[in-house]
Amino acid sequence: MSALLAIEDLRVTFNTRYGQVTALDGVSLHVNAGETLGVVGESGCGKSITALATMGLIPMPPGRIAGGSIRLEGEELVGAAPARMRGLRGADIAMIFQEPMTSLNPVFTVGAQIAEAIMLHQKVSPDQAFKDAIALLDRVGIPSPDARARDYPHQLSGGMRQRVMIAMAVSCRPKVLIADEPTTALDVTVQAQIFDLLNEIQRDFGAAIILITHDMGAISEMADRVAVMYAGRVIEEAQADDVLDFPQHPYARGLIDCIPALGREDHALREIPGVVPPLHLLGAGCAFADRCEHTNARCKTEKPLLAAHGHHPAACHAVEEGRI
Amino acid sequence: MSTLLDVRDLTVRFAMPRKGLFGPRPWLEAVRKVSFSLEKGHALGIVGESGSGKTTTAMAAIRLTEAAGGQVLFEGDDLLSLSDEQMRAHRRDVQLIFQDPYSSLNPRARVADIVREPLDLMDIGTPDDRRARVEELFKLVGLRPDQLNLFPHQFSGGQRQRISIARALTTNPKLLVCDEPVSALDVAIQAQILNLLAKLKSELGLSYLFISHDLGVVRHVCDDVAVMYLGQIVEHASRTALFESPQHPYTQALLSAAPSLARRKSKGYVRPLKISGDPPSPINPPPGCAFAERCPRARDICRKTPPVLEDRGPGRVACHVPGPADA
Amino acid sequence: MTDQTTQSSYKAESPALEAWRMFRRNIPALVGVALLAVIVGATLYGTFFYAGDPFEVVWAPHEPPGVTPDFPLGTDYLGRNLMAGMLTGGGPTLTVGAAAAAITMVIGITLGALAGYYGGWVDNLLMRITEFFQVLPALLFAMVLVTLFSPSLWTIAIAIGVVSWPQTARLTRAEFLKIKELEYVTAARAIGARNKRIIWRVILPNAMPPLIVSATLTIGVAILFEAGLSFLGLGDPNVMSWGLMIGANREYILDAWWPVTFPGLAIFFTVFAVSLIGDGLNDAFNPKLRER
Ligand SMILES: Nc1ncnc2c1ncn2[C@@H]1O[C@H](COP(=O)(O)OP(=O)(O)OP(=O)(O)O)[C@@H](O)[C@H]1O
Ligand SMILES: Nc1ncnc2c1ncn2[C@@H]1O[C@H](COP(=O)(O)OP(=O)(O)OP(=O)(O)O)[C@@H](O)[C@H]1O
Ligand SMILES: [Mg+2]
Ligand SMILES: [Mg+2]
C-alpha cells in the first residue's frame, strides 16, 4: 500500500550570511490516511521547514528545494505549478500554526475568515459559507457559535483562537492536516482540549495528521508513529511505542531520559551535553557526534543512514555496529 | 527547620483603564489574599494556568511589584513595610531568574559585568575579590572563564540561563525566585538546568520559589506545591500528597491534562477527566468559587460562597466538595 | 549561536577602544568622517587661504562660477563673493546645527526618559507639555523667540532646540516603555539598582540606536531651520551662514542656479556625512555586530 503523503529524500537549502546551509538533508517521511505521525526534535532541527515544504510555503529565496520528492496520493508536489499548490493548500493539505493570534487576520471576524476559506475551495454562496462556518465553530467546541462567529480574533482566548484555526483548517476536509506545535502557546488544560479535538476530528474526517512537537508526552498521547529529527535529518522512525520504550539512537534515548517523569523525581536527570551545532558548522560526520558518548572515528567522518539495524530504523553507527 | 518566607494575605491589584472619561476605575485583582510559607532549604512550586497570578505573587513577595495589602515576613522582617533603602539592603538575600533567556540579560553589557554588577552596586569586596567571585560563579554554573568577556548574544539559550543563575547567586542569596526557568529551553537543555538547580539547592542550601506550568518539572524540583487559580491558592500540599492524592478538582484536571509518557495512544488512552472552557476574567471574578463554572463537581453553594483554604489531610484545600477524583 | 569560540581574550579592552576598532572597519562611516573633516576644515581654516568679505559687493551680480579666477564660485544677486560666503558661512551654520541638535537631544531624551520610565502622572504631565509644544507652529514660535530676544546664533539655536525636542521626547518615551518591561530591567531592580542607574545606564544605552539616527536627522533639520529663519530675515543679519545665502538668493534661482546650489550642496553633504557617522557609531556600539 502506498502512503497518502510520502516525502522522499527531501533536501532544502538556505542562503545565509554563512553561505549556503542545508536545513533538510535527505528527509524521508510518510503518513497514511487516518494515522497520526509525530515529528519531534530540538529547536531548529527542521520540523517546520518540512511542514512548510509540504505546503509549498518555503520562502524562496533564501530557501530552495534542492532535491527529493513530496507525493500526495502519488501526485508530485515538488515543482508543481503555483496555481496547483494554491488549489491543494487549504483543500487537501491544511496546516495549523503555533501562534493562533498572528495567523488570524485581526480586522475580520472569525466567522468571515472561515467563510472565506470555505469559498476559496467550494462553490457555495456567502450565506451558506457563513452558516457552514458557524457549524464548524460548533464542531470544534466553541460555545454559542452564532455569536462567536461575529467576534474579532482579539476578543477570543488563545484556546478559542486555536479552535478557530482548526475549524478553518478542516473546513474543506483536508486529507492531511499538519499541526506545527499547535499547543505551545496554550495552557495544559487547553492543550488537552485541543488534543482531544484533533483526535475527534481525525475520527470523523479520517484525516492523516502530522503533529510537530518537542514534547515526548504529547507524542505518547497522540501519535501512532514517530519520526525523531536532528539537524535536518530523520534519525529514528518507528511505531510510537517502539520509540518510547526502546529508543535506539543515543539522541532519542537522551530525549526520553531527560524528561522529568513520574516516580523518578529524586534522581538527577540524564543530560545531553552541549548544544545542537549550527547548520553552517555541520561537518561530514554524524551531526550528533560531538554530544554523543558512543562516538568513534567513523562517526566523525561518515554520516549514518536511517536503516533497521536492531529493533527498528535508526541512523547511528553505534547501533549498526551493535555497540549500544 | 525554620521558616524563611511567610507570606500572609498578599493582595495585588492593577488599575485598568477607565471606561469613558469619568467612569469608575476597574481594578484587576491579580493576587487575592494569598498565604503560604517556605522553609529554609525547601523548594515551593507554584503551578497554574497562564494569568493565574503566579508571577505577580512571586514578584510582590520580593517587592518588585507593589502589593495592595498583606505581609511578607522574610526571616521575621516584613518586607512590605520597609523603606526603599532598607529594602535595598535586603535585595542581596532574594534574587530571581526569568523565563526568557533572551530578554533577561542586558544585550549591551558583557556577561562578566552582568554577573559582577550586584557586587558593584552593593559595594561588596575589593575589585579583585569581585573578579574572583565572578570566576568562581562561572565555574559553579558550568561556564568557562574564557567566556567572561563575551556578550549575551554569543551564548545559547541554556548558557544564558546559566549566566542568569550566576548573576542571581552573586550575592549569596537565601531565596531564589525562579519564574519558569526552563520553559523556553529544549528538553535536553532543560535537563541540564534542572540538574544545576538541584545541585545548587543541596550544595548551597538555597530555597526556591519555583514557578512553572510544567507539572513534571515541578514534581522533579519541588518539595511542596501550591496550585493557583484566578489569583488564589486552591490547593497546597507536599509533592507526594499533591501528585498522588490531589483533593481539589482543578488540581485533578491539571494532572489529567498534563501529557505523560505513561499514556499511550496505542493503548487506547482516553482522558478520564475533561474540563471545558477558560478561566473567568479576573476583573469581575464570580461571587463563588472561581472554578465553579468549569468544575464537574460544582454545586449550588460553589456558585454562591467562595471556599476558603483550609487544612485537610496533609495539605490545604479551598473547595466545598474536596476529595479524590471520582473516575 | 555558539560562536563563543571566536573570541576568547580574557582581559577586556575598554569598550571605547573596541568600539573604535569596529568603527574603523566601517567604510561608509569613515567616508562620513572624511567628508565632515573636509567641511569643518574648510570652514575653520579656509579663510587663511582665501580671504574675502562675504557681505561686500565686489563684482557684477550673478557672475557664473569658474569665469573670474578671483571669485571661483561666482557672485550672488548683489554681486557678493560666494566663495567667501561659503567659507565664512559654514562655521555659524554648523554651530547652530550642532547646538540645536544637542539642545533637542538633551531636553527630548530627559523628558522622554522620565515620562516613559515613571509613567503615571509624571508621564501624563510631561506628555501634555510635549503635546503643547508639538502643536505650536514651530516656525512661528521660533520667530517669536528670536524677535523677543535679539537674533544671535545662540538664540536661534535655542529657539530651534525648543521647538524640535517633542519628537525626540516621544521617540525616547516609546523606547523606554518598550525596554522597561524587559526582564533585564527587572533584574537590575532586583539587585538593588536605583532608578537613576536604571534609566541612564541600563535602559538608555539600549534605546540609543533610533535616537542616534534621529539626532543626525535633527542636525540636518536644524541647519535647514536656520536657513528658514534667515530667509525670513530673522537670522542674525551680521553673520553670514549657508542658510542666509540660500534664503537671500532663493528668489533668483531661475536666473542663476549657483548662489543657491553651492550652500545647498554644502548642507546636503554635511547632513549626509553626519548620518553616515551616526550609523557607524550605532553599529560600533552594538555588540551584536562586533565579531564579524
Ligand atoms: N528563512 C531562513 N533563512 C535561513 N535559515 C532558515 C530560514 N528558515 C529556517 N532556517 C533554518 O532552518 C533550520 C530548520 O528550521 P525549522 O524552523 O524547521 O526548525 P524547527 O525544527 O521547526 O524548530 P522549532 O522547534 O524552533 O520551531 C533552522 O536551523 C533555521 O535556522
Ligand atoms: N503590570 C500589569 N498591569 C496590569 N495587569 C497585569 C500586570 N501584570 C499582570 N497583570 C495581570 O495579572 C494577572 C496575573 O498575571 P501573572 O503574570 O501573575 O500570571 P502568571 O500566572 O504568571 O501567568 P503566566 O503563566 O502567563 O506567566 C493576569 O490577568 C495579568 O493580565
Ligand atoms: Mg518550528
Ligand atoms: Mg508568569
Side-chain angles (χ1 to χ4, degrees):
Chain A
M1 178 188 113
S2 78
L4 177 63
L5 178 79
I7 300 177
E8 241 156 85
D9 203 25
L10 186 65
R11 294 172 49 82
V12 173
T13 59
F14 281 99
N15 282 320
T16 68
R17 66 179 166 114
Y18 301 108
Q20 196 181 68
V21 299
T22 306
L24 293 188
D25 187 11
V27 166
S28 299
L29 291 173
H30 68 271
V31 61
N32 301 313
E35 182 189 48
T36 300
L37 170 72
V39 180
V40 266
E42 228 157 316
S43 187
C45 67
K47 306 183 295 291
S48 299
I49 297 296
T50 308
L52 291 177
T54 310
M55 295 291 288
L57 290 176
I58 298 265
M60 305 195 211
R64 193 169 77 86
I65 296 192
S69 85
I70 303 173
R71 287 209 171 78
L72 179 70
E73 295 185 309
E75 181 183 352
E76 179 61 58
L77 303 188
V78 172
R84 176 63 190 142
M85 282 313 291
R86 269 198 302 279
L88 287 175
R89 259 200 309 270
D92 289 336
I93 323 176
M95 183 159 169
I96 313 166
F97 296 89
Q98 173 171 348
E99 208 356 283
M101 190 63 216
T102 50
S103 26
L104 287 169
N105 187 336
V107 301
F108 294 106
T109 64
V110 295
Q113 293 187 54
I114 301 174
E116 197 186 309
I118 295 173
M119 287 192 296
L120 217 51
H121 296 286
Q122 294 167 24
K123 283 206 168 51
V124 292
S125 70
D127 276 353
Q128 185 56 44
F130 200 79
K131 282 199 192 103
D132 290 352
I134 292 173
L136 279 165
L137 288 177
D138 192 32
R139 177 66 200 82
V140 297
I142 289 187
S144 42
D146 278 321
R148 286 303 182 188
R150 292 176 175 81
D151 278 349
Y152 290 89
H154 73 266
Q155 292 169 300
L156 305 180
S157 70
M160 289 224 250
R161 285 197 287 260
Q162 200 56 291
R163 285 169 192 269
V164 170
M165 287 304 300
I166 294 176
M168 206 183 292
V170 301
S171 60
C172 298
R173 304 198 157 224
K175 294 169 182 144
V176 179
L177 180 61
I178 304 177
D180 188 356
E181 315 220 15
T183 57
T184 313
L186 305 176
D187 280 310
V188 274
T189 52
V190 183
Q191 165 172 301
Q193 296 167 15
I194 297 293
F195 281 168
D196 290 344
L197 174 64
L198 285 175
N199 280 335
E200 280 171 38
I201 290 217
Q202 182 169 52
R203 268 201 306 280
D204 290 8
F205 298 170
I209 294 183
I210 299 181
L211 176 69
I212 294 175
T213 175
H214 54 258
D215 184 346
M216 277 291 179
I219 290 288
S220 169
E221 288 184 10
M222 294 289 293
D224 300 296
R225 218 150 36 75
V226 186
V228 184
M229 290 186 67
Y230 190 81
R233 300 179 135 228
V234 176
I235 51 125
E236 182 155 341
E237 203 240 280
Q239 294 300 314
D241 283 346
D242 291 341
V243 174
L244 293 171
D245 295 331
F246 310 102
Q248 300 288 300
H249 195 286
Y251 177 67
R253 293 170 190 233
L255 266 192
I256 288 167
D257 284 351
C258 68
I259 303 171
L262 312 185
R264 285 209 311 240
E265 37 272 327
D266 290 315
H267 301 269
L269 299 170
R270 161 107 164 243
E271 291 180 23
I272 304 178
V275 293
V276 188
L279 292 179
H280 66 277
L281 294 182
L282 287 184
C286 171
F288 190 60
D290 285 344
R291 306 174 73 186
C292 180
E293 52 188 0
H294 305 286
T295 302
N296 66 9
R298 187 174 168 215
C299 300
K300 297 209 159 157
T301 51
E302 181 188 332
K303 280 200 165 61
L305 298 174
L306 189 67
H309 306 299
H311 198 268
H312 55 257
C316 176
H317 295 314
V319 173
E320 180 192 337
E321 295 160 10
R323 288 190 278 122
I324 44 173
Chain B
M1 200 49 75
S2 64
T3 304
L4 180 69
L5 183 74
D6 190 4
V7 173
R8 298 183 186 161
D9 290 334
L10 187 66
T11 299
V12 184
R13 282 197 201 103
F14 294 111
M16 303 306 283
R18 281 178 220 278
K19 289 223 167 63
L21 202 52
F22 300 104
R25 184 180 281 288
W27 289 90
L28 185 156
E29 289 223 326
V31 177
R32 300 187 284 158
K33 296 209 172 237
V34 161
S35 305
F36 60 84
S37 65
L38 173 61
E39 302 294 307
K40 274 205 177 89
H42 270 218
L44 170 66
I46 305 184
V47 298
E49 270 165 302
S50 177
S52 57
K54 306 181 293 294
T55 301
T56 311
T57 302
M59 296 300 250
I62 61 174
R63 238 181 100 172
L64 286 171
T65 291
E66 200 181 330
Q71 286 182 305
V72 177
L73 302 179
F74 184 83
E75 297 188 311
D77 299 333
D78 183 5
L79 295 184
L80 301 188
S81 63
L82 297 179
S83 73
D84 283 357
E85 279 309 309
Q86 289 168 323
M87 185 60 214
R88 195 161 287 128
H90 274 76
R91 289 263 175 242
R92 61 157 70 184
D93 290 334
V94 285
Q95 282 296 310
L96 72 167
I97 52 184
F98 301 91
Q99 165 171 4
D100 184 355
Y102 289 90
S103 73
S104 54
L105 302 174
N106 183 347
R108 298 222 166 205
R110 283 170 207 282
V111 296
D113 297 338
I114 290 175
V115 174
R116 204 191 53 238
E117 193 180 12
L119 299 176
D120 294 346
L121 278 175
M122 297 175 194
D123 213 11
I124 300 171
T126 66
D128 278 340
D129 294 344
R130 293 179 196 170
R131 201 166 310 130
R133 174 81 180 130
V134 171
E135 283 179 36
E136 178 193 327
L137 286 164
F138 254 58
K139 232 174 275 151
L140 184 66
V141 300
L143 292 167
R144 298 193 312 272
D146 62 59
Q147 297 171 317
L148 279 166
N149 283 307
L150 302 181
F151 287 92
H153 70 271
Q154 292 165 299
F155 293 86
S156 67
Q159 288 176 316
R160 282 160 162 259
Q161 219 49 328
R162 290 175 194 268
I163 298 166
S164 278
I165 294 173
R167 167 178 64 191
L169 294 179
T170 310
T171 57
N172 272 321
K174 296 172 180 151
L175 172 65
L176 203 54
V177 172
C178 310
D179 190 355
E180 310 257 10
V182 294
S183 310
L185 306 176
D186 273 312
V187 272
I189 309 299
Q190 176 175 316
Q192 299 172 2
I193 299 297
L194 291 178
N195 284 344
L196 173 63
L197 287 174
K199 177 185 105 170
L200 295 173
K201 183 174 164 229
S202 67
E203 283 181 11
L204 307 178
L206 283 174
S207 309
Y208 293 146
L209 205 53
F210 192 98
I211 299 171
S212 180
H213 62 263
D214 185 331
L215 295 168
V217 168
V218 166
R219 184 163 188 175
H220 186 80
V221 175
C222 300
D223 305 288
D224 301 299
V225 184
V227 181
M228 285 191 73
Y229 192 79
L230 206 74
Q232 291 176 315
I233 293 182
V234 296
E235 183 161 4
H236 180 186
S238 72
R239 165 175 68 191
T240 342
L242 192 110
F243 281 95
E244 270 153 31
S245 55
Q247 300 292 306
H248 196 285
Y250 177 65
T251 313
Q252 290 155 6
L254 265 187
L255 290 178
S256 99
S260 136
L261 289 188
R263 303 178 186 149
R264 294 293 166 84
K265 188 176 188 192
S266 61
K267 310 273 186 312
Y269 172 75
V270 180
R271 212 176 304 287
L273 185 68
K274 290 185 187 172
I275 57 168
S276 51
D278 299 299
S281 153
I283 297 185
N284 274 316
C289 170
F291 187 57
E293 61 182 86
R294 300 170 79 190
C295 181
R297 267 192 246 162
R299 313 213 171 135
D300 272 352
I301 182 174
C302 301
R303 297 191 185 88
K304 291 187 191 123
T305 333
V308 284
L309 192 63
E310 286 169 339
D311 288 342
R312 191 188 147 86
R316 300 184 298 159
V317 187
C319 180
H320 292 300
V321 277
D326 311 325
Chain C
M1 294 234 180
T2 44
D3 33 5
Q4 57 267 35
T5 40
T6 48
Q7 194 189 4
S8 53
S9 60
Y10 176 38
K11 267 270 159 279
E13 274 182 314
S14 83
L17 200 70
E18 201 164 301
W20 164 237
R21 273 201 302 114
M22 179 75 192
F23 190 85
R24 231 174 30 191
R25 276 184 283 162
N26 187 333
I27 306 290
L30 292 183
V31 170
V33 170
L35 201 54
L36 194 66
V38 169
I39 295 170
V40 170
T43 60
L44 283 182
Y45 303 112
T47 43
F48 286 127
F49 304 102
Y50 184 93
D53 183 342
F55 286 104
E56 196 186 342
V57 176
V58 289
W59 197 251
H62 287 166
E63 173 78 10
V67 176
T68 316
D70 279 353
F71 311 115
L73 296 181
T75 60
D76 74 353
Y77 74 112
L78 291 175
R80 297 185 294 193
N81 183 351
L82 283 176
M83 186 69 180
M86 289 299 292
L87 293 179
T88 41
T93 304
L94 296 179
T95 313
V96 168
I103 294 170
T104 304
M105 296 314 282
V106 169
I107 305 180
I109 289 181
T110 310
L111 296 193
L114 296 179
Y117 183 74
Y118 286 104
W121 67 265
V122 180
D123 186 26
N124 263 323
L125 178 72
L126 292 178
M127 280 301 109
R128 292 302 87 75
I129 297 176
T130 310
E131 276 158 18
F132 174 76
F133 275 92
Q134 210 164 22
V135 295
L136 280 183
L139 192 61
L140 220 58
F141 183 62
M143 283 165 63
V144 171
L145 284 182
V146 174
T147 18
L148 276 185
F149 309 93
S150 67
S152 76
L153 279 188
W154 291 111
T155 39
I156 293 172
I158 291 171
I160 297 173
V162 165
V163 298
S164 46
W165 63 264
Q167 280 252 23
T168 310
R170 289 187 161 275
L171 188 63
T172 313
R173 173 177 176 269
E175 287 296 303
F176 266 65
L177 283 179
K178 196 174 72 195
I179 297 172
K180 80 166 178 187
E181 296 298 329
L182 295 181
E183 288 168 344
Y184 60 80
V185 177
T186 312
R189 288 206 289 141
I191 58 176
R194 290 182 171 77
N195 290 333
K196 211 172 94 191
R197 183 184 174 93
I198 295 178
I199 293 175
W200 304 121
R201 301 279 299 278
V202 180
I203 305 184
L204 188 59
N206 285 291
M208 263 346 257
L211 294 178
I212 288 180
V213 175
S214 124
T216 56
L217 289 179
T218 308
I219 293 182
V221 170
I223 289 175
L224 297 176
F225 212 114
E226 192 267 344
L229 286 177
S230 303
F231 171 66
L232 293 171
L234 290 169
D236 187 340
N238 304 314
V239 177
M240 181 53 73
S241 72
W242 292 339
L244 187 64
M245 293 169 74
I246 296 178
N249 287 290
R250 223 173 70 159
E251 280 176 57
Y252 311 101
I253 188 164
L254 293 179
D255 304 323
W257 53 267
W258 56 96
V260 180
T261 305
F262 290 124
L265 281 177
I267 291 177
F268 168 78
F269 279 113
T270 308
V271 173
F272 181 59
V274 170
S275 66
L276 287 181
I277 297 171
D279 270 359
L281 284 179
N282 184 27
D283 289 354
F285 281 104
N286 184 353
K288 288 194 190 163
L289 297 174
R290 234 170 246 175
E291 54 296 313
R292 286 241 209 107

